[in-house]
Amino acid sequence: KPSRAPDPTPVERPSTPGPGKHALGERLAGMSDYQLAAYQASAIRIGNDERHAKHAFAQRALPRIESEIRRRADALRSPKTESGT
């Protein structure tokens, strides 16, 4: 059987995470504050580089990253209420 060259056509990736991967919101919630800040800095850098392969993903991720940062900041400002009081 003659071998065939690989098809150079890009494969469309599914929009849902594959096995062992989590949705962005789940990953963000599980990150430490330090990891989240580093992820934000990276997304800003990649989002500003239109030639980067992950440019579009970074631009879509930034609002979610910023939302997670605001959620954590709000949680620090808002005292938790004790149950039964």
Side-chain angles (χ1 to χ4, degrees):
K1 248 180 166 178
S3 64
R4 294 173 46 177
D7 184 359
T9 307
V11 176
E12 185 67 30
R13 293 197 170 121
S15 61
T16 56
K21 296 192 177 190
H22 300 284
L24 179 61
E26 292 175 24
R27 290 196 323 261
L28 294 176
M31 289 182 182
S32 70
D33 291 345
Y34 179 82
Q35 289 171 319
L36 187 61
Y39 196 66
Q40 179 188 35
S42 179
I44 289 170
R45 180 182 52 80
I46 292 169
N48 287 331
D49 182 357
E50 293 180 6
R51 294 173 295 159
H52 196 286
K54 294 186 178 183
H55 168 76
F57 177 80
Q59 287 193 320
R60 288 191 311 270
L62 268 171
R64 297 188 69 186
I65 295 167
E66 292 165 353
S67 176
E68 177 64 17
I69 290 170
R70 278 191 304 277
R71 184 193 68 76
R72 292 181 187 194
D74 290 345
L76 291 173
R77 284 192 291 267
S78 303
K80 293 183 181 179
T81 58
E82 299 280 335
S83 60
T85 57

